[in-house]
């Protein structure tokens, strides 16, 4: 449906380089990256606000690189809503329909349907100044959808909403997509991407560094940047060696630290391992357990998370473990304390290069 091929654009010291993106009809495609990575610039290239230096933009196999903004049939919602403050909710949504000179009855029916889809029927007579942030964003989406865009572009649409309003907007966006609306959404929040998308692309410094299905990218990050960005703490690059003690296991070596892992990959393979932070057990003494990976380390940092406490331990590499508040208090942990950690070889996932 939407294909970007070899898009390049230089603006000052920043440039987008060799951008290729494929969005199919009905996709919820999320472009995820840090601030300043080029996400919003790419959206404005798709809309036609910015013209690329070279490359092509295909919409339904037609190159729209020279098509005027108003004829691209693409709608965009920015992170800060752009409603008309002197108009009611109804008139804001109806505005693009009136520009098209639709009949009054058709406008009435269309606005009513859009209000139902975005769950703001009760707001149609309200003034914009009396709306909450979440309500304003819903009205903005409804007004954008009034043009029947083939693709809805969303530029950080949830960034200014609190937790409760975000939940409502996430639900709304999922419903719109389930009804068939193709959406391209940019964000810096991997949890937002995980909750919404079926396809994602990760952008860093103007280049797409990994793209694919959400499950594929989140389960198989191909770089430390991607792993850290999507919330994976224990991600290490290294090489597989054979194990002298157990042919079923292989030794993964990273920064001279040797970790036993279960994998069918060949000895000598280079790649990455992921050690789930919740799979790491912390103790004050070495445990006699089935875990074959046991290390003595020093606590480097301690900080709370949503479900408990995260402990950063130096064993020659830094590992992060998640434990409960109860375990934290029972073990009397503190920065600088020497502890033992253990984890099973079967808990580790190896990703080949």
């Amino acid at each position: 449906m939407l294909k970007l091929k070899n898009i390049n654009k230089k603006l000052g010291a920043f440039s987008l380089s060799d951008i290729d993106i494929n969005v199919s009809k009905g996709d919820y495609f999320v472009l995820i990256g840090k601030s300043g990575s080029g996400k919003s610039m790419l959206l404005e290239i798709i809309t036609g606000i910015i013209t690329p230096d070279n490359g092509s933009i295909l919409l339904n196999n037609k190159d729209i690189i020279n098509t005027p903004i108003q004829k691209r049939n693409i709608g965009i919602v920015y992170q800060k809503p752009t409603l008309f403050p002197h108009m009611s909710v109804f008139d804001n949504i109806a505005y693009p329909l009136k520009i098209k000179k639709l009949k009054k009855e058709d406008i009435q029916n269309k606005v009513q349907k859009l209000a139902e889809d975005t769950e703001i029927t009760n707001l149609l007579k309200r003034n914009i100044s009396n709306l909450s942030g979440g309500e304003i964003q819903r009205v903005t989406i409804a007004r954008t959808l009034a043009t029947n865009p083939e693709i809805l572009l969303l530029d950080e649409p949830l960034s200014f909403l609190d937790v409760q309003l975000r939940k409502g907007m996430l639900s709304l966006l999922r419903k719109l997509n389930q009804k068939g609306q193709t959406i391209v959404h940019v964000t810096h929040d991997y949890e937002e991407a995980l909750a919404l998308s079926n396809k994602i692309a990760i952008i860093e410094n103007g280049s797409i560094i990994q793209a694919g299905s959400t499950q594929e990218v989140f389960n198989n990050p191909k770089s430390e940047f991607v792993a850290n960005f999507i919330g994976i703490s224990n991600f290490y690059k290294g090489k597989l060696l054979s194990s002298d003690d157990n042919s079923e296991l292989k030794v993964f070596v990273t920064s001279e630290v040797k970790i036993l892992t279960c994998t069918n990959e060949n000895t000598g393979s280079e790649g990455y391992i992921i050690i789930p932070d919740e799979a790491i057990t912390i103790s004050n003494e070495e445990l006699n357990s089935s875990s074959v990976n046991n290390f003595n380390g020093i606590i480097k940092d301690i900080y709370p998370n949503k479900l408990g406490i995260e402990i950063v331990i130096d064993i020659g590499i830094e590992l992060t473990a998640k434990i409960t508040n109860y375990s934290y208090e029972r073990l009397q942990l503190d920065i600088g304390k020497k502890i033992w950690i253990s984890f099973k070889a079967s808990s580790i996932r190896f990703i080949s290069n």
Side-chain angles (χ1 to χ4, degrees), residues 93-156:
I93 300 172
Y95 182 78
L97 303 174
K98 291 178 179 178
I99 293 295
K100 290 185 175 182
K101 298 182 179 180
L102 269 63
K103 294 180 181 178
K104 187 174 181 180
E105 182 180 353
D106 291 339
I107 291 174
Q108 180 71 41
N109 293 336
K110 181 71 172 178
V111 171
Q112 188 66 35
K113 177 65 168 58
L114 289 167
E116 291 172 2
D117 288 346
T118 52
E119 301 172 3
I120 55 171
T121 304
N122 61 316
L123 303 178
L124 289 175
K125 295 181 180 180
R126 295 264 295 273
N127 292 325
I128 298 302
S129 59
N130 296 327
L131 302 182
S132 69
E135 290 169 341
I136 287 174
Q137 199 65 299
R138 285 171 184 262
V139 176
T140 305
I141 291 171
R143 188 182 67 179
T144 305
L145 292 175
T147 62
N148 291 321
E150 290 200 55
I151 299 177
L152 177 63
L153 306 180
L154 303 174
D155 186 3
E156 300 271 11

Side-chain angles (χ1 to χ4, degrees), residues 101-330:
K101 298 182 179 180
L102 269 63
K103 294 180 181 178
K104 187 174 181 180
E105 182 180 353
D106 291 339
I107 291 174
Q108 180 71 41
N109 293 336
K110 181 71 172 178
V111 171
Q112 188 66 35
K113 177 65 168 58
L114 289 167
E116 291 172 2
D117 288 346
T118 52
E119 301 172 3
I120 55 171
T121 304
N122 61 316
L123 303 178
L124 289 175
K125 295 181 180 180
R126 295 264 295 273
N127 292 325
I128 298 302
S129 59
N130 296 327
L131 302 182
S132 69
E135 290 169 341
I136 287 174
Q137 199 65 299
R138 285 171 184 262
V139 176
T140 305
I141 291 171
R143 188 182 67 179
T144 305
L145 292 175
T147 62
N148 291 321
E150 290 200 55
I151 299 177
L152 177 63
L153 306 180
L154 303 174
D155 186 3
E156 300 271 11
L158 311 182
S159 59
F160 289 97
L161 304 181
D162 61 32
V163 174
Q164 287 304 117
L165 292 175
R166 283 170 63 90
K167 287 182 179 178
M169 283 299 299
L170 285 170
S171 177
L172 170 65
L173 294 173
R174 279 194 294 266
K175 287 177 182 177
L176 292 175
N177 179 241
Q178 288 164 3
K179 290 179 179 180
Q181 179 64 56
T182 304
I183 298 174
V184 175
H185 176 141
V186 305
T187 182
H188 62 274
D189 189 328
Y190 80 91
E191 291 184 356
E192 196 174 298
L194 186 59
L196 292 168
S197 64
N198 68 305
K199 293 180 183 177
I200 67 171
I202 297 179
I203 187 169
E204 179 188 15
N205 296 327
S207 297
I208 302 293
I209 58 173
Q210 190 171 352
S213 72
T214 304
Q215 184 176 6
E216 175 190 352
V217 174
F218 276 63
N219 288 340
N220 297 284
K222 295 297 185 182
S223 71
E224 185 175 1
F225 175 86
V226 175
N228 292 340
F229 194 76
I230 64 178
I232 296 174
S233 303
N234 302 319
F235 183 88
Y236 309 99
K237 184 175 183 178
K239 186 175 183 178
L240 288 176
L241 304 178
S242 61
S243 170
D244 297 333
D245 299 329
N246 190 329
S247 59
E248 294 180 357
L249 300 179
K250 290 186 175 68
V251 177
F252 182 84
V253 181
T254 177
S255 299
E256 299 184 358
V257 176
K258 297 179 178 180
I259 298 170
L260 289 169
T261 181
C262 293
T263 178
N264 293 323
E265 294 289 340
N266 295 327
T267 298
S269 296
E270 295 184 352
Y272 309 89
I273 60 166
I274 295 174
I275 306 172
D277 39 23
E278 68 274 9
I280 299 172
T281 300
I282 295 178
S283 59
N284 286 321
E285 298 178 355
E286 185 174 5
L287 292 175
N288 182 15
S289 70
S290 60
S291 297
V292 294
N293 290 296
N294 295 279
F295 299 92
N296 193 221
I298 298 174
I299 296 177
K300 303 295 289 184
D301 203 0
I302 299 172
Y303 49 93
N305 64 26
K306 296 177 182 177
L307 300 177
I309 304 291
E310 294 193 16
I311 312 293
V312 180
I313 309 106
D314 186 353
I315 64 166
I317 56 174
E318 288 193 354
L319 285 168
T320 299
K322 285 184 181 178
I323 62 173
T324 64
N325 287 289
Y326 172 76
S327 295
Y328 170 67
E329 293 174 2
R330 177 177 60 83

